[in-house]
Amino acid sequence: LKNKPGQRLLFSCAHSWFGCCQVTVRDALNQALDEELERDERVFLMGEEVAQYDGAYKVSRGLWKKYGDKRIIDTPISEMGFTGIAVGAAMAGLRPICEFMTFNFSMQAIDQVINSAAKTYYMSAGLQPVPIVFRGPNGASAGVAAQHSQCFAAWYAHCPGLKVVSPWNSEDAKGLLKSAIREDNPVVFLENELMYGVPFEMSEEAQSKDFTIPIGKAKVERQGSHVTLVSHSRLVGHCLDAAAVLAKEGIECEVINLRTIRPMDVETIEASVMKTNHLVTVEGGWPQFGVGAEICARVMEGPAFNYLDSPVTRVTGVDIPMPYAKILEDNSVPQIKDIIFSVKKTLNV
């Protein structure tokens, strides 16, 4: 299908009679990049395999042919080098998008991301903005073992000066990436490799070139009255699946898609907890000092604490380096059954 553009369009817009389209997360990201490159000539994309190969995960498919060598730049395998170039370009007035083939490789360049990008606006007393987006797949994929499976949401969200975004579906991916590219602060944009090929309904509004989603706003994906589930990225889908199973047993879960990790939308979480009186956080990262740990602390320090009828429960990745064997890997990342178990434990069912 992908070699015949007419057919592909027909396929992706099969639902357009209803004002909706099925669009994969990959294509949503590609649309966002294309529209922003077209809208602002200061925007450019650089990273490994992004140009001639169409991207390691085909997210930048077709962009090199359309925009050429100057705007879509293949780099050597040297994260520290090309991230430094991108940060310098941002300081000089351009708006770079720096792609990491996976966020695990951003560790090679973490000094550039944090010391050069995140702190400069503050250290220059607001004189030197660094408008840059660091993007690529984050968190566990499948069968790539310990060095390629960690979630960086908590790592980067720990650092003032960065904004950290973690989309789940196609609408999130498109709207948030466009906002990130237009943002004057450095943004860490955490995608998920296992989500790239997943199609989602995309509203007519989301397909317009003006569509953006504000950074720092969570979304209630499902209304419920018994327990609040808060998650980000791929595990939002797991929470919705768990909620569907629990609904058959009479337990109504409210599911919140964080969308942004920093700044965190604590108000939406608090409003939900005041309604449901129970909270379960779900994430793929490690438990210590994780996203769920931060949510627990913020809820405890705020007005929603008095509304809790039981302690907050965290569902996280297991506190070990990711094993390679599939059965061990499956037991190291949260599954739908783990979410169901934790909800029942929290509600004492």
Side-chain angles (χ1 to χ4, degrees), residues 315 330-331 333-343:
V315 180
D330 289 344
N331 282 287
V333 291
Q335 306 293 343
I336 295 162
K337 63 176 171 43
D338 303 320
I339 300 168
I340 293 168
F341 175 81
S342 289
V343 167

Side-chain angles (χ1 to χ4, degrees), residues 100-154:
F100 296 117
M101 198 180 284
T102 92
F103 258 93
N104 302 279
F105 305 141
S106 75
M107 285 167 79
Q108 298 283 341
I110 202 161
D111 181 58
Q112 303 288 1
V113 176
I114 289 174
N115 279 328
S116 304
K119 297 178 184 176
T120 297
Y121 198 37
Y122 181 85
M123 290 175 74
S124 66
L127 293 176
Q128 179 63 74
V130 187
I132 184 169
V133 178
F134 303 102
R135 53 155 293 272
N138 167 67
S141 174
V144 289
Q147 292 173 335
H148 292 160
S149 295
Q150 55 228 329
C151 173
F152 284 86

Side-chain angles (χ1 to χ4, degrees), residues 225-228 267 269-279 298-312 346-347:
S225 54
H226 295 135
V227 60
T228 300
E267 290 77 19
I269 300 169
E270 285 177 338
S272 178
V273 169
M274 287 172 175
K275 182 172 83 171
T276 67
N277 311 113
H278 299 90
L279 175 60
R298 298 285 277 273
V299 166
M300 202 174 82
E301 290 163 354
F305 177 66
N306 294 322
Y307 289 79
L308 281 172
D309 287 343
S310 67
V312 181
T346 304
L347 293 172

Side-chain angles (χ1 to χ4, degrees), residues 291-331:
V291 176
E294 176 66 15
I295 293 169
C296 289
R298 298 285 277 273
V299 166
M300 202 174 82
E301 290 163 354
F305 177 66
N306 294 322
Y307 289 79
L308 281 172
D309 287 343
S310 67
V312 181
T313 307
R314 289 181 294 163
V315 180
T316 69
V318 176
D319 201 18
I320 54 166
M322 179 66 76
Y324 175 70
K326 176 149 180 40
I327 184 134
L328 295 177
E329 182 180 79
D330 289 344
N331 282 287

Side-chain angles (χ1 to χ4, degrees), residues 41-291:
E41 60 185 25
R42 296 170 300 171
V43 176
F44 70 97
L45 171 68
M46 70 189 305
E48 293 151 7
E49 310 275 27
V50 297
Q52 296 186 34
Y53 189 67
D54 274 343
Y57 303 99
K58 304 292 176 257
V59 170
S60 52
R61 183 192 281 142
L63 298 179
W64 176 64
K65 284 192 180 75
K66 183 170 176 181
Y67 296 101
D69 289 328
K70 202 173 166 192
R71 310 274 308 277
I72 312 294
I73 303 166
D74 275 332
T75 64
I77 301 174
S78 58
E79 279 75 14
M80 191 177 202
F82 71 73
T83 307
I85 291 170
V87 172
M91 289 176 177
L94 298 176
R95 303 186 83 88
I97 303 158
C98 175
E99 176 177 316
F100 296 117
M101 198 180 284
T102 92
F103 258 93
N104 302 279
F105 305 141
S106 75
M107 285 167 79
Q108 298 283 341
I110 202 161
D111 181 58
Q112 303 288 1
V113 176
I114 289 174
N115 279 328
S116 304
K119 297 178 184 176
T120 297
Y121 198 37
Y122 181 85
M123 290 175 74
S124 66
L127 293 176
Q128 179 63 74
V130 187
I132 184 169
V133 178
F134 303 102
R135 53 155 293 272
N138 167 67
S141 174
V144 289
Q147 292 173 335
H148 292 160
S149 295
Q150 55 228 329
C151 173
F152 284 86
W155 293 52
Y156 286 116
H158 186 59
C159 179
L162 290 175
K163 295 196 174 181
V164 182
V165 175
S166 181
W168 165 54
N169 63 14
S170 303
E171 211 154 290
D172 290 354
K174 183 177 179 185
L176 288 165
L177 183 53
K178 286 170 73 78
S179 291
I181 293 167
R182 297 179 190 189
E183 170 67 49
D184 286 333
N185 293 289
V187 179
V188 171
F189 193 88
L190 304 169
E191 298 158 15
N192 187 292
E193 187 188 328
L194 297 174
M195 294 306 295
Y196 284 146
V198 181
F200 287 94
E201 295 284 326
M202 214 160 152
S203 65
E204 215 162 324
E205 181 202 2
Q207 289 164 56
S208 98
K209 288 191 174 178
D210 302 318
F211 177 71
T212 57
I213 290 172
I215 291 172
K217 222 41 223 117
K219 184 187 178 195
V220 178
E221 297 285 352
R222 185 184 203 277
Q223 296 285 342
S225 54
H226 295 135
V227 60
T228 300
L229 292 172
V230 183
S231 189
H232 68 96
S233 190
R234 177 168 175 258
L235 289 167
V236 174
H238 282 32
C239 287
L240 289 168
D241 291 344
V245 173
L246 288 160
K248 293 187 177 123
E249 299 177 35
I251 298 168
E252 292 298 332
C253 303
E254 183 143 299
V255 178
I256 295 176
N257 171 8
L258 276 176
R259 283 181 165 172
T260 307
I261 312 296
R262 182 185 187 103
M264 189 180 279
D265 184 359
V266 180
E267 290 77 19
T268 297
I269 300 169
E270 285 177 338
S272 178
V273 169
M274 287 172 175
K275 182 172 83 171
T276 67
N277 311 113
H278 299 90
L279 175 60
V280 176
T281 68
V282 184
E283 66 186 305
W286 292 313
Q288 284 221 137
F289 314 104
V291 176

